[in-house]
Amino acid sequence: MKKIFVLLVAVSFLAVAGFAFAAPKAPAETLMLKAEKMKKPPVPFKHVTHAKIECSKCHHTWKGEGTPKGCGTCHKDKKEGKKLSFKNAAHKNCRGCHRTMKKAGEKTGPSKCSACHKK
Ligand code: HEC
Ligand code: HEC
Ligand code: HEC
Ligand code: HEC
């Protein structure tokens, strides 16, 4: 009986550890977001302050396997087909959410140019 219990604990530990190992983590450091050509200062982005938001809200093409690709791999300086430019994709995603939440009276991130494009 005791042996079976120990075995069960070991198996479930391995399952949890295996899952934790397979699940990708968001980078802890501040990422500097840059378009190919820059007129404004690059935008610092912290995953930690966005930890409650589902990954797929931003990494919208990511299916949960491997590492999500940077927005800039698909969203270039100019719109390509249905893909928005990096500027418009970022503004729609980042500023769009901040504005919607602000209107709803919730604590959120900045909507002012200079608060994201920090000198
Ligand atoms: C609020 C938006 C947002 C959320 C939510 C978010 N991310 Fe990100 N993530 C970004 C942005 C923006 C980048 C930088 C992309 C770039 O450099 O073009 C990034 C970059 C990354 C990178 C680095 C990619 C590379 O090319 O080096 C990884 C890994 C990552 N995110 C994982 C995650 C995971 C896992 C989650 C959910 C737990 C998550 N992210 C949630 C916006 C977000
Ligand atoms: C693998 C390519 C790819 C990556 C990586 C990618 N996108 Fe997109 N994105 C697309 C395509 C294709 C479309 C147009 C079709 C669609 O809406 O899905 C799009 C559309 C969008 C839209 C417009 C959606 C709408 O409702 O009109 C936003 C906003 C956006 N992307 C933001 C981002 C952000 C922010 C990132 C990085 C965190 C990102 N994308 C990463 C390919 C990508
Ligand atoms: C789905 C909603 C949502 C999206 C998308 C989103 N944010 Fe935010 N952002 C928030 C919320 C909520 C906070 C406030 C978190 C807190 O302080 O508790 C925040 C805070 C911030 C802050 C101030 C705090 C800090 O981390 O420095 C910055 C800057 C910021 N966001 C930048 C961005 C950028 C850049 C993007 C796009 C790549 C983005 N956000 C996308 C919801 C969002
Ligand atoms: C919520 C954050 C946020 C706010 C607010 C914001 N931006 Fe951006 N902007 C970004 C991100 C992220 C990018 C794409 C990465 C980059 O270029 O730094 C971007 C890209 C750009 C670009 C293209 C790249 C460049 O430097 O030429 C311009 C121009 C720009 N923004 C201007 C503005 C102006 C003007 C405002 C105010 C009306 C503004 N942004 C407000 C986050 C923001």
Side-chain angles (χ1 to χ4, degrees):
M1 194 58 200
K2 207 175 174 191
K3 263 189 194 158
I4 291 175
F5 180 72
V6 169
L7 194 71
L8 274 177
V9 169
V11 165
S12 52
F13 175 77
L14 280 178
V16 169
F19 182 75
F21 188 72
K25 282 210 183 84
E29 71 271 23
T30 303
L31 303 174
M32 294 305 280
L33 305 184
K34 289 183 193 142
E36 293 154 85
K37 288 184 195 131
M38 300 289 298
K39 288 189 223 99
K40 294 266 172 198
V43 176
F45 174 75
K46 294 187 201 123
H47 272 99
V48 277
T49 44
H50 297 84
K52 285 184 199 145
I53 303 164
E54 252 179 82
C55 314
S56 61
K57 273 261 182 199
C58 302
H59 299 288
H60 66 100
T61 56
W62 184 58
K63 303 277 180 275
E65 278 163 32
T67 308
K69 288 195 183 81
C71 321
T73 51
C74 297
H75 296 286
K76 303 293 181 188
D77 277 350
K78 292 218 169 73
K79 188 176 189 275
E80 277 176 9
K82 286 202 289 176
K83 290 180 218 140
L84 302 178
S85 65
F86 195 176
K87 176 185 166 186
N88 290 341
H91 288 174
K92 192 166 184 181
N93 178 256
C94 318
R95 199 175 45 177
C97 174
H98 294 169
R99 277 183 174 165
T100 309
M101 288 184 77
K102 197 183 171 195
K103 268 191 204 145
E106 291 168 281
K107 187 182 178 214
T108 189
S111 306
K112 266 199 201 158
C113 317
S114 60
C116 281
H117 297 280
K118 277 188 188 153
K119 289 233 171 75

